[in-house]
Structures are given as C-alpha cells and as structure tokens.
Amino acid sequence: MRNSTAPRALLAVLALTVALLTALVAHPGTTASAAADPVRIMPLGDSITGSPGCWRSVLWNRLQDSGYSSIDFVGTLGPQGCGQPYDGDNEGHGGFLATNVAAQNQLPGWLDATDPDIVVMHFGTNDVWSNIAPDRILAAFDTLVGQMRAANPDMKILVAQLIPMNPSSCAECAQRVVDLNSRIPAWAAGRTTTRSPVIVVDQWTGFSTAADTNDGVHPNSSGDNKIAARWYPALTSLLAPGTPTPTPTPTPSDPGGAGCGASLKVVSSWQGGYQAEVTVVNNGASAVRGWSVRLTLPGGETITQIWNGTLTAASGGATVGNVSWNGALASGASTSFGFIAGRPGTATPAAQITGCTAG
C-alpha cells in the first residue's frame, strides 16, 4: 500500500502558508501599521479654538517646519480660513460651555468619530462668562477626562490655564478667569497618571487682552502666535517615537545661593528667535516661599514672551520671579518657567543665568 502521510503533511503546510499570506495581505502587520500612522491630535474647546482659531494654523505650520510631519489634527469641524494652508480639523464649538458638553454627553461621539491620541483643550471661557463656579467647571473637566480615557486609556491630555478675558459686558470676568486658573494645576496633579498624563499649559501669563485680542476675549494675530508658542513645547514632548525631536542645547547652570539653583536649556530655535526652559531647584535644607533668576542677554536679544514666571527686563539682562502657584518649593523640589527670545538673524541663542535667589 502506498504511503500517503508525506503528501498529506506537505499539503497541510502549503495550506497554512496560503492562509498566513492571505491574512498578511488583508491585515498588514501591527508594527508596520503603527509606525506609519500619524499622531492624531484633537484641539478641543469653544470659539477661541474653533472660530477661526488661527492659533491652530500657526501651531500646525510651526510643527511642520520643525520636522514634526507625522501628525494629524482631528475633529468633526473643518477649517475656517486663517490665510495659510494647514490641517484645520478641530473640535472648537463656538459658544459651547464645558459644563454643558459634559452634562449632555457630547464628547464621546466626537471621540468615536475622530479617535485622537492627544487632546489639546482650552475650554471654560463661556462657563466663566456665565458665572459658573470653578468647582462645577472642574467637575465637568473630570467628566471629560473620564470620557477621553474610556475612548483611549492612553490618552494624553493638555489642559490650558485660560487666556485672560475682559469683555466690556463682564467686568467680573477677568477675576473669574484668575480664580479658575489658580485651581487648575492642583486639579490636574490629582488626575494625571503615568499612562494618561494631564499636563497644564499656562496660556494666561504674558497674554494681554488689550494687545492680544480683538474684543477682550478672542485672540488676534499676536494672541494666536502666543497661544501656539505655549502649546508647542508641551505638545512636542508627547509626540510618538520616531517623530523628530529637536535636541535641547544645554547652557551652564548657576548653583545659586543657599536654597536656589537654576539651569537653562534651549528647547528649539529658528531664524530670529528661540525658545528656552529654565529649571529652578530648592537646593537648601528648608522650604522657600519664592525665587528669582537673573539672566544676561547679549546685544540685540530680547525676551518677547514668558510663562510660569514674572519678567522684569533691563538693558542687557532680565530678572524672572515666580508666579503665585510655583513660588513655594520644599527642599529638593523644582519648578520651571519658559520664554521666547528674539535675536538677530545670524546670532546663536546666548542667554546665560547669572544668579538665583530664594525669597
């Protein structure tokens, strides 16, 4: 009798091979697919984000110019002009309140339709205008964060401290924004996780309703540039592996006096300007209640924007002190502030720390 075991085994191997090849064609490998997928970023908020929200066009083009090309802005709403090509998809709904979006369960549908990896959220201006208490706004933020994580457990969430507002019809709104903003850092610290960080981005400091808005609320072109500049470093720190990241340029640190030390690094630079981050550390044995850092600036270089610090400029230099929420540092604790400096087109970034004092 002829032995048919070997042919049957060969046919089984061939069938398995065909099945595997068919599966690979129908479902490309997970690793290769993931590597090709852009990072999906949802700008979320109200008219400051969406109508037309031209800070998004500034941010998009700066990311592209810096080599961050594997990104996709997403949202159920499309672009509204802004005078330059950009990916305008967004979730900026004019007139919407964060408390209503949370109460009416609107966000899950937007998330399902767009599947973001990162949410960039400037939300709450209309709530403040409507005199809704910070507790209620932050409770709505809790709901929104929970919905983001239900859609994607690895969601990365950037939350703005709101830009200032001073509309002619609401004399109390300016202080209401301050009151909400002062609560956001502690709220975020209590919600952040390693898997799904909640990162606060200070959009308030250095933003002028007189110079940077059209009406005391909505940003003009100067305001758009400032908002984009604040989002940029926080967003690029979250971009997926393989997305080009500018190499920070370290500068000498200043050990400072007892209780205060500081170091500076250049996060990114471009023709005519650069962005820097300064880390301040309490290197003393006791807690401090405030700090200030002294900087020297070469001829022709000026600090044009600053966040998480208060700036006192002088010829050839500047002093930066703490703001209300980052002055108190326990022994060994640290905080940071950032700034953007303008410089002559052919110069290299050259700000230096010359001292750090604990108050």
Side-chain angles (χ1 to χ4, degrees):
M1 182 176 181
R2 186 176 177 183
N3 187 348
S4 60
T5 302
R8 283 200 297 268
L10 179 59
L11 288 173
V13 170
L14 289 173
L16 179 60
T17 301
V18 170
L20 288 172
L21 289 173
T22 301
L24 286 171
V25 171
H27 305 285
T30 301
T31 302
S33 177
D37 288 342
V39 180
R40 300 171 65 82
I41 302 165
M42 173 191 280
L44 173 64
D46 46 43
S47 58
I48 291 171
T49 295
S51 309
C54 287
W55 61 260
R56 293 181 286 108
S57 70
V58 177
L59 179 60
W60 169 266
N61 281 284
R62 182 172 175 189
L63 290 165
Q64 298 298 305
D65 292 345
S66 301
Y68 296 96
S69 56
S70 186
I71 57 173
D72 181 12
F73 281 11
V74 299
T76 60
L77 304 177
Q80 300 184 34
C82 297
Q84 59 181 326
Y86 73 109
D87 183 348
D89 296 334
N90 72 96
E91 217 63 72
H93 297 263
F96 278 36
L97 281 68
T99 47
N100 286 347
V101 169
Q104 296 169 14
N105 206 38
Q106 293 174 295
L107 181 60
W110 302 339
L111 294 168
D112 288 345
T114 59
D115 193 25
D117 304 297
I118 300 172
V119 172
V120 174
M121 185 173 87
H122 185 288
F123 217 173
T125 298
N126 291 309
D127 303 80
V128 169
W129 206 332
S130 301
N131 199 20
I132 294 175
D135 282 345
R136 284 185 58 197
I137 299 172
L138 294 177
F141 285 5
D142 278 336
T143 298
L144 298 178
V145 168
Q147 292 169 342
M148 293 173 198
R149 288 172 172 166
N152 177 359
D154 296 306
M155 189 77 76
K156 311 300 186 291
I157 306 162
L158 303 183
V159 177
Q161 289 175 293
L162 303 181
I163 63 173
M165 62 181 297
N166 190 25
S168 59
S169 61
C170 183
E172 301 82 13
C173 280
Q175 184 58 47
R176 291 176 194 164
V177 171
V178 173
D179 294 342
L180 175 61
N181 282 346
S182 68
R183 299 277 301 278
I184 289 176
W187 167 83
R191 306 305 184 274
T192 194
T193 67
T194 301
R195 187 172 181 182
S196 175
V198 180
I199 300 169
V200 178
V201 177
D202 179 9
Q203 292 286 359
W204 190 90
T205 303
F207 195 101
S208 166
T209 54
D212 300 322
T213 72
N214 297 312
D215 55 5
V217 180
H218 299 91
N220 58 21
S221 59
S222 171
D224 289 332
N225 288 330
K226 287 186 177 182
I227 292 172
R230 298 297 176 84
W231 287 129
Y232 179 86
L235 183 55
T236 55
S237 72
L238 297 178
L239 292 179
T243 305
T245 302
T247 302
T249 302
T251 65
S253 62
D254 181 84
C260 189
S263 60
L264 182 152
K265 68 179 180 182
V266 174
V267 177
S268 61
S269 62
W270 55 91
Q271 185 77 7
Y274 66 95
Q275 179 173 311
E277 180 179 87
V278 177
T279 299
V280 181
V281 61
N282 176 7
N283 54 24
S286 303
V288 300
R289 292 183 294 177
W291 48 264
S292 63
V293 174
R294 296 182 298 280
L295 300 167
T296 59
L297 301 168
E301 190 169 297
T302 57
I303 293 177
T304 58
Q305 296 180 39
I306 191 163
W307 52 96
N308 291 336
T310 56
L311 173 67
T312 303
S315 178
T319 299
V320 178
N322 61 275
V323 289
S324 60
W325 58 83
N326 67 359
L329 296 175
S331 177
S334 64
T335 188
S336 64
F337 66 88
F339 66 86
I340 290 176
R343 57 190 170 92
T346 57
T348 56
Q352 299 284 328
I353 294 174
T354 57
C356 182
T357 304

